[in-house]
Amino acid sequence: MASTSFFLSNQTIRSTILPPCNATFRRPLSISATCATSQRTCSSNISTEYAPKQGSLYEVLGIQMGASCQEIKTAYRRLARCLHPDVASNSGDEFMRVHAAYATLSDPEKRATYDMELFHRRRPTVMSARGYSRRSRNWESDQCW
Amino acid sequence: MAEQAYTVASDSETTGEERSSSTVPEIAIGIDIGTSQCSVAVWSGSQVELLRNTRNQKLMKSYVTFKDEVPAGGVSNQLAHEYEMLSGAAIFNMKRLIGRVDTDPVVHASKSLPFLVQTLDIGVRPFIAALVKNMWRSTTPEEVLAIFLVELRVMAEMQLKRPIRNVVLTIPVSFSRFQLTRIERACAMAGLHVLRLMPEPTAVALLYAQQQQQNVHENMGSGSEKIALIFNMGAGFCDTAITATAGGVSQIRSLAGSTLGGEDILQNTMRHLIPNMDSYFSRHGINEIEKMGLLRVATQDAIHKLSTQPSVEIDVDLGNGRKIYKVLNRKEFEEVNQNVFEKCASLINQCLSDAKIEVADVNDVILVGGCSNIPMIRNMVTGICKKDVYSGMNPLEAAVRGAALEGAVASGVNDPFGSLDLLTIQTTPLSIGIRADGNNLVPVIPKNTTMPARKDVFFTTVHDNQAEALIIVYEGDEEAVEKNHLLGYFKIMGIPPASKGVPEINVCMDIDASNSLRVFAGVIMPGEQNPSAPFMEIRMPTVDDGHGWCAEALNRTYGSTLDLVTVQKKVQH
């Protein structure tokens, strides 16, 4: 309840108090030299990254399947800075999806299991007809990459 | 139930106020209410500054004295001598008492304090009273805290020359959600609105993240990740956290806390000096209170001296021919408090293992809080981590500085130099679950789950044709339910007749962006798409003050007739 009112107040501030030139200064799009680059990437990626709601965990984090541990962490932080409800005034659902993807991919064991599953999903012909139809939606979205 | 009415009222009040607001954006102040000392800090526009009271103190003693008609707290009141605080007229250690029932061991340990803590041991709130003109006048920890917070607010308003409403408060890791509601209530009584309640080590972690951000001028995210272990021990609580920091993002990996602090070290040492202390002082007469004050001051003084010298002389005259004279050396002091140090060590080890971090991976060891001066604590922490202590922080100011940073960040303040480009990814300090599989706590949201979070677990009935099921929600990490904090309870009704083990009872818990907890529960029969009856949604905690006996009463009334067992765990995304 506490933060909800914070977001409310934030919106009020943006719309009524600050002069218009400051409107873009709100987090997470603050203009600071050190993070301008990544933030631009971030805002432009949101729409594409979140289009496939059932995409693979790699898609959720916007990384390649062979990404290194460091790349996974970096991608997670970059997305957290855009989607965490503390900065983005949202419900937190998107951040939870990102975190779930990160939690699986940053754990070597869970990642191996997941990769295996993904590998089988991409070869639907070996699946039984029933399994194929059940998983077809995931399979389609996996085609994206 | 009363709590919900309060919550709703405060929400609507806030909304209305902020809609009509036309003043400049308010920067929330950070408050660290310690068990023994308190401090306030605020983002000044370029850095965090600690506020001082009229006597130029940055750290103020946390107490309220009821000596005169108008109660006075440690912010404005000037003590003639420390004994005055121990005369029975002053209430202190309220952070240790808030939101606890009279069966709680922490409440029992408070019975040797000079003011009155009376317990009836039935699970209701303890009777707390200050000695005013030879009478015990009752009060509550919330009231005492509120009086103190009003003084802090007035002090901050005078210095900042603006009204203060929004605050970020630091809290111990081991606080239950019920205790958080009591802190929020005390703030509401003091005219303050809580923006965030931050576990103390996570406030320290945020300060650390900012320092790292300033040190490393690298691109966000590409800066190397630093792992810090934070150990914070004050008078009332001991907290540990592991944080992974990079690019101003502090990701809390694990938290562990306990109600272990300087107060326990003090009491252990006092008991060492007078083994029959509890019976000696149990009468709580004016004479005993005075003697207890003398012993307390002398022992506290000795402990402080033992931080810098190998031995100390303790000489107290308790009257009636009873004198205490002892030379206490550091080794003896450490032996007396062996159990405290061991528990601290186990918290650190638990935190490391929960975070799946090896000691060798820890980049910095941060030691803060009043007890960080005790050589044994320092040796224990550096011994486990095999590393010197991080030197970039004032151990007594780190938490409040972190809270002030969070206050600025949460108020939407921007810093052109990027000093406030910070984010803390918090985790749950305690597991939240329900009573199932007999008398066990089955976690639905386990400890150290990143927030916001939503998880669900499936349960089923234990009796054939069981039509109802009791959902009792607890918070904590003890296997036996009664050792955890009760948050609330409700009943699922209308389970269709079926053999035991057939109905699927789904219990889902959701912690949203504002850290409020909702529990959803309902029954779905196998093969059916829709729930058999409307799902229940309950905002927790629902319990009120005298809740200690509730679980027992439920158990007595229903036994195991409405029990559940776990079916399978599955995470919902």
Side-chain angles (χ1 to χ4, degrees), chain A residues 1-10 12-13 16-18 25-28 30-35 37-39 70 73-74 76-78 80-81 84-87 90-93 95-97 99-100 102 104 107, chain B residues 7 11 14-15 18 23-25 184 193-196 218-223 225 244-249 251 406 409-414 416 418 420-425 450-454 513-514 516 539 573:
Chain A
M1 60 207 140
S3 294
T4 317
S5 45
F6 145 54
F7 293 129
L8 260 175
S9 79
N10 224 10
T12 324
I13 293 161
T16 61
I17 295 149
L18 293 178
F25 256 81
R26 57 170 276 234
R27 285 154 44 87
S30 64
I31 315 294
S32 85
T34 48
C35 41
T37 326
S38 26
Q39 272 170 354
Q70 181 65 41
K73 282 182 181 173
T74 306
Y76 170 65
R77 285 209 184 82
R78 181 172 53 79
R81 297 201 56 137
H84 193 281
D86 280 2
V87 286
N90 60 19
S91 66
D93 286 358
F95 175 70
M96 278 194 265
R97 255 158 46 82
H99 184 81
Y102 164 78
T104 303
D107 181 319
Chain B
T7 307
D11 270 2
T14 313
T15 317
E18 263 144 22
T23 50
V24 286
E184 279 171 349
H193 172 240
V194 177
L195 266 192
R196 298 273 155 82
E218 281 175 309
N219 262 346
M220 185 183 64
S222 63
E225 180 183 71
T245 299
V249 179
Q251 187 195 352
E406 180 71 14
V409 171
S411 306
V413 179
N414 271 287
L420 293 177
D421 275 330
L422 303 169
L423 173 67
T424 312
I425 301 175
T450 293
M451 297 192 283
R454 188 180 307 132
S514 55
S516 68
R539 196 161 160 167
H573 295 305

Side-chain angles (χ1 to χ4, degrees), chain A:
Chain A
M1 60 207 140
S3 294
T4 317
S5 45
F6 145 54
F7 293 129
L8 260 175
S9 79
N10 224 10
Q11 279 156 4
T12 324
I13 293 161
R14 279 200 298 280
S15 55
T16 61
I17 295 149
L18 293 178
C21 63
N22 276 358
T24 54
F25 256 81
R26 57 170 276 234
R27 285 154 44 87
L29 300 175
S30 64
I31 315 294
S32 85
T34 48
C35 41
T37 326
S38 26
Q39 272 170 354
R40 204 181 317 122
T41 329
C42 173
S43 45
S44 64
N45 276 1
I46 289 174
S47 52
T48 51
E49 277 170 4
Y50 289 90
K53 283 284 176 201
Q54 294 293 328
S56 80
L57 299 183
Y58 292 97
E59 283 170 348
V60 169
L61 291 181
I63 49 175
Q64 295 296 310
M65 201 176 163
S68 71
C69 195
Q70 181 65 41
E71 283 170 324
I72 291 170
K73 282 182 181 173
T74 306
Y76 170 65
R77 285 209 184 82
R78 181 172 53 79
L79 290 167
R81 297 201 56 137
C82 309
L83 301 172
H84 193 281
D86 280 2
V87 286
S89 314
N90 60 19
S91 66
D93 286 358
E94 281 179 312
F95 175 70
M96 278 194 265
R97 255 158 46 82
V98 167
H99 184 81
Y102 164 78
T104 303
L105 299 184
S106 62
D107 181 319
E109 242 171 68
K110 285 184 191 162
R111 185 179 177 183
T113 314
Y114 175 76
D115 283 351
M116 194 84 98
E117 206 178 283
L118 208 57
F119 179 79
H120 286 301
R121 261 196 258 165
R122 294 188 69 193
R123 276 169 176 68
T125 43
V126 300
M127 309 281 291
S128 70
R130 191 162 167 266
Y132 172 77
S133 64
R134 194 161 54 86
R135 290 171 185 257
S136 61
R137 190 180 48 169
N138 282 341
W139 179 79
E140 263 172 50
S141 54
D142 287 349
Q143 295 277 298
C144 298
W145 55 276

Side-chain angles (χ1 to χ4, degrees), chain A residues 34, chain B residues 208-226 245-248 364 417-418:
Chain A
T34 48
Chain B
Y208 175 74
Q210 194 215 23
Q211 291 181 344
Q212 295 309 306
Q213 182 76 327
Q214 284 172 341
N215 292 344
V216 189
H217 286 286
E218 281 175 309
N219 262 346
M220 185 183 64
S222 63
S224 64
E225 180 183 71
K226 286 193 121 183
T245 299
D364 281 306
F417 302 105

